[in-house]
């Protein structure tokens, strides 16, 4: 049985997706067993359980990211990308594929975020969206520094396709991270910004994953029951440009 959130998105996707020729069905049916804890968590998780930064009542730029789970040589893994170091915002920072909604994506309160997440992932990484099964949509979150209202979209990479940096002016590289590395205590740290803000982070694949992306990963690991206790006093400093 689907959750209220899945049901709402799924029904709107059927109607609007058929009209536009872009299927955006959201379903958790047929997922591998190891993904079931994530699907269960996504069905019930509340905004405050994901982040203390929630969207304002009005304003903010609607956007979406694709949190794509696949299965690689070392088991379950996540798809990430590293932003180009020349960008004006979040330069060099690992992130989920994603970006702002375009008008053709449709209603931000309906299937728009799902369409945007898949479209942006294709544009940034070259993945074939027809091989992705969207199985959940998380509550909207907020990134104060950029003013983005972000809807995280959960996907299962049912049929993997080749990926890589499509536009090197925007993306430095595209890579996957085994979930085993994300849960390993040796790879977990706390970032400390000069402003005083602290947050969870991951040292994986020659990268420091921090900020919004790390925060969402941290909460998903926790509520899926995959988290392993780690030393939260192990800190990595950030500079003012971060």
């Amino acid at each position: 049985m689907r959750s209220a959130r899945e049901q709402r998105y799924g029904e709107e996707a059927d109607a609007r997706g058929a009209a536009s020729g872009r299927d955006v069905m959201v379903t958790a049916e047929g997922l591998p067993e190891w993904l079931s804890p994530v699907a269960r968590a996504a069905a019930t998780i509340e905004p405050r359980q994901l982040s203390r930064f929630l969207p304002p009542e009005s304003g903010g730029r609607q956007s979406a990211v694709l949190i794509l789970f696949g299965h690689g040589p070392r088991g379950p893994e996540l798809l990430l990308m590293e932003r180009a170091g020349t960008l004006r915002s979040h330069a060099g920072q690992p992130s989920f594929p994603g970006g702002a909604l375009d008008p053709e994506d449709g209603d931000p309160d309906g299937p728009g975020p799902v369409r945007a997440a898949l479209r942006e992932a294709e544009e940034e990484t070259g993945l074939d969206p027809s091989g992705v099964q969207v199985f959940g949509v998380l509550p909207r979150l907020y990134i104060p520094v950029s003013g983005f209202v972000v809807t995280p979209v959960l996907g299962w990479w049912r049929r993997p396709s080749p990926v890589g940096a499509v536009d090197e002016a925007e993306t430095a590289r595209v890579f996957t991270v085994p979930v085993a590395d994300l849960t390993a205590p040796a790879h977990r740290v706390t970032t400390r910004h000069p402003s005083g803000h602290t947050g969870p982070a991951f040292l994986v694949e020659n990268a420091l994953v921090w900020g919004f992306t790390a925060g969402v990963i941290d909460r998903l690991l926790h509520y899926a029951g995959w988290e392993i206790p780690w030393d939260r006093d192990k800190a990595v400093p950030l500079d003012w440009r971060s």
Side-chain angles (χ1 to χ4, degrees):
M1 182 176 182
R2 289 183 294 175
S3 70
R5 187 181 298 127
E6 287 176 310
Q7 184 74 25
R8 177 166 61 85
Y9 274 86
E11 289 174 351
E12 293 182 10
D14 287 341
R16 299 173 188 263
S20 67
R22 296 170 63 191
D23 186 4
V24 288
M25 172 63 71
V26 178
T27 177
E29 294 183 6
L31 291 178
E33 185 59 32
W34 61 263
L35 256 182
S36 296
V38 180
R40 287 194 295 267
T44 59
I45 200 165
E46 297 296 329
R48 287 286 181 191
Q49 293 176 304
L50 285 171
S51 174
R52 63 188 179 93
F53 297 113
L54 302 184
E57 292 185 6
S58 63
R61 190 175 183 188
Q62 296 293 329
S63 64
V65 296
L66 179 64
I67 304 176
L68 185 59
F69 290 89
H71 197 279
R74 295 182 52 209
E77 59 187 17
L78 270 178
L79 179 71
L80 296 177
M81 51 177 278
E82 186 174 308
R83 295 169 59 82
T86 54
L87 294 176
R88 289 196 297 177
S89 63
H90 307 295
Q93 187 172 344
S95 67
F96 301 118
L101 270 66
D102 284 347
E104 58 266 29
D105 292 323
D107 188 356
D109 293 321
V114 174
R115 290 180 181 157
L118 293 173
R119 174 183 55 76
E120 286 282 343
E122 181 180 14
E123 292 175 0
E124 293 176 330
T125 74
L127 71 77
D128 181 358
S130 69
V132 176
Q133 176 183 336
V134 176
F135 67 88
V137 179
L138 298 179
R140 290 186 180 125
L141 304 175
Y142 189 57
I143 303 180
V145 67
S146 60
F148 278 103
V149 175
V150 185
T151 300
V153 175
L154 298 171
W156 156 233
W157 211 354
R158 179 177 292 278
R159 296 190 305 276
S161 53
V163 291
V166 175
D167 183 353
E168 294 184 354
E170 293 189 359
T171 306
R173 63 175 174 138
V174 177
F175 59 100
T176 56
V177 181
V179 170
D181 286 349
L182 293 168
T183 58
H187 296 159
R188 304 215 54 182
V189 295
T190 296
T191 51
R192 299 188 187 279
H193 195 275
S195 65
H197 177 72
T198 63
F202 303 84
L203 290 166
V204 290
E205 300 298 324
N206 297 314
L208 174 65
V209 182
W210 63 283
F212 173 85
T213 302
V216 173
I217 294 174
D218 171 77
R219 293 296 80 198
L220 282 177
L221 295 179
H222 175 77
Y223 287 107
W226 292 350
E227 185 178 39
I228 298 173
W230 55 284
D231 183 4
R232 297 174 185 272
D233 292 328
K234 182 181 176 182
V236 172
L238 299 171
D239 62 33
W240 281 107
R241 295 170 293 179
S242 299

